[in-house]
Amino acid sequence: QVQLVESGGGLVQPGGSLRLSCAASGVTLENYAVAWFRQAPGKEREGVGCISRLGDYTYYADSVTDRFSIFRDNPRNTVYLQMNSLKPEDTAVYYCAAQNFYSSDYLPLREYEYHHWGQGTQVTVSS
C-alpha cells in the first residue's frame, strides 16, 4: 500500500523559505512521478509542480517558477519542494501526489492523473 506523508509546513514571513518533504512508504518513490498541489481557503486545488520518475524533468506552474524547486532524495525515498521568496498568496495546504506512469517522460500536472495522495501540510505566509 502506497503511503505518502508530507511535512515541513509552518508559518513563515513573506520573503522567507520553507522546504516541504514527501516521504513514501510501501513503494519505491523513484519509480513514480511526483507532483505537488496546493489548496488555499475558498479556492480550488491547483498544481504547483512535478518531477519525473527519473528526476530528469521538472515542470512548474507560472506562479511559482523561479521561486520553487522540486528534487528527489532516492536513498531517503523522499521528494522535496523547496519554496523560496514566499508570498502571502502562497498560503495553502500543500499536498504531494504520486503515480507510476507508463512513460518516464510523461509528466502531467492534473489532479485526476495521480492516484496516491498525502494528507497535506499547512503553509502560512504572513508577517
Side-chain angles (χ1 to χ4, degrees):
Q1 183 177 355
V2 178
Q3 284 194 313
L4 303 175
V5 179
E6 302 95 335
S7 61
L11 173 64
V12 63
Q13 292 187 340
S17 297
L18 277 178
R19 179 178 293 180
L20 306 185
S21 301
C22 174
S25 60
V27 67
T28 301
L29 200 55
E30 65 183 291
N31 295 328
Y32 287 68
V34 176
W36 286 91
F37 294 85
R38 67 185 182 185
Q39 187 166 21
K43 294 187 176 181
E44 293 186 352
R45 191 153 54 184
E46 63 175 358
V48 174
C50 43
I51 186 167
S52 63
R53 203 164 67 204
L54 298 179
D56 49 354
Y57 294 109
T58 53
Y59 173 79
Y60 301 96
D62 289 344
S63 58
V64 306
T65 295
D66 296 331
R67 299 189 299 123
F68 290 10
S69 61
I70 300 172
F71 58 97
R72 294 182 174 273
D73 185 341
N74 290 336
R76 288 186 166 82
N77 214 25
T78 299
V79 169
Y80 297 95
L81 175 65
Q82 177 67 42
M83 305 185 295
N84 300 326
S85 303
L86 282 161
K87 305 175 181 180
E89 52 263 43
D90 294 319
T91 295
V93 177
Y94 283 71
Y95 302 87
C96 67
Q99 187 61 34
N100 56 340
F101 300 112
Y102 180 77
S103 170
S104 62
D105 294 342
Y106 187 62
L107 194 58
L109 192 56
R110 292 180 287 272
E111 285 186 63
Y112 67 86
E113 303 242 29
Y114 292 85
H115 298 164
H116 308 290
W117 290 78
Q119 83 290 346
T121 185
Q122 175 71 46
V123 172
T124 302
V125 185
S126 174
S127 55

